[in-house]
Amino acid sequence: FFFFNDTPTTEIYTLPLHDALPICEETMRGIRFNLLDVALHSDSIHRGAGQIMPPVRRCLYASLLAAQPALLEPVYLVDIQAPENARGGIYQVLNRRRGQVISEENRPGTPLYQVKAYMPVMESFGFSADLRSHTSGQAFPQCVFSHWQLLSGDLYEEGSKPNQIVKDIRKRKGLAVEIDTHMKYIDRM
């Protein structure tokens, strides 16, 4: 039970966290906060949403940043059809673009091979032209969204892939380039 204005309730209050998310103002998914203890002001005039929401928002942002946040990146399932002599060019392009080959099989009755791989969407820009140039126009790719994948690396480690992505997003959006830490949201007394 929650007690709001001295009234017990089981209603769940939602916080509008979409207005300024702490990392790069992007939508977050799959986040839940468990409030274990709350001490509210004894005077009911100081327990309205205008007095409660700002400190709760700061607390939730600080907890998000202190919990070692990570980025998820979308991943394509790439289906490539090409003759056998073009496989070297396919592997070369996929390796350069962080692609992971998951299967390779010969199409029965044809001289074509079918290569399936996972490739991050971020690496797919210009992929088709690059693949065709390395296979002399013999490879035909098809990209379909497959899943979300955790981007490896520490968000706060200078020079890591997640750090660089967040800084690029913040720069593009006109935000301060430096990534905030949880210390920004802790009240100093």
Side-chain angles (χ1 to χ4, degrees):
F1 284 95
F2 294 99
F3 288 89
F4 193 71
N5 289 339
D6 297 327
T7 307
T9 180
T10 57
E11 184 177 340
I12 296 174
Y13 294 95
T14 57
L15 296 174
L17 292 176
H18 61 276
D19 58 347
L21 298 173
I23 297 174
C24 52
E25 295 189 3
E26 295 287 330
T27 303
M28 297 183 294
R29 294 187 176 114
I31 295 177
R32 180 178 125 183
F33 297 95
N34 293 333
L35 299 178
L36 302 177
D37 186 25
V38 176
L40 298 176
H41 198 278
S42 60
D43 189 5
S44 64
I45 193 95
H46 297 291
R47 289 193 303 245
Q51 287 76 31
I52 293 175
M53 297 298 263
V56 168
R57 184 178 294 121
R58 289 173 60 86
C59 178
L60 296 180
Y61 285 174
S63 66
L64 281 170
L65 293 173
Q68 298 176 342
L71 296 180
L72 294 175
E73 67 178 341
V75 177
Y76 278 145
L77 172 63
V78 182
D79 186 2
I80 304 169
Q81 295 186 19
E84 184 178 3
N85 61 351
R87 287 189 307 174
I90 293 171
Y91 280 95
Q92 183 181 8
V93 172
L94 284 173
N95 286 335
R96 209 172 50 240
R97 293 176 176 264
R98 296 190 298 139
Q100 300 170 343
V101 176
I102 56 172
S103 74
E104 176 185 324
E105 55 191 47
N106 189 354
R107 305 264 324 218
T110 67
L112 295 178
Y113 271 80
Q114 182 177 18
V115 177
K116 290 188 177 187
Y118 291 130
M119 183 176 61
V121 171
M122 188 183 339
E123 304 291 338
S124 69
F125 300 104
F127 171 68
S128 191
D130 195 18
L131 184 64
R132 289 204 175 112
S133 70
H134 280 80
T135 60
S136 303
Q138 295 178 324
F140 301 100
Q142 183 176 18
C143 299
V144 179
F145 174 77
S146 175
H147 61 278
W148 292 90
Q149 169 179 295
L150 188 64
L151 190 61
S152 63
D154 184 11
L155 188 67
Y156 294 110
E157 182 183 325
E158 198 64 38
S160 69
K161 188 78 170 172
N163 182 275
Q164 190 59 45
I165 290 170
V166 168
K167 283 186 175 183
D168 290 345
I169 292 171
R170 292 178 69 87
K171 187 175 182 181
R172 185 181 71 233
K173 289 184 171 189
L175 304 171
V177 177
E178 290 306 312
I179 302 170
D180 296 331
T181 64
H182 68 283
M183 296 305 290
K184 175 183 177 185
Y185 297 99
I186 293 177
D187 289 332
R188 288 157 187 82
M189 304 241 176

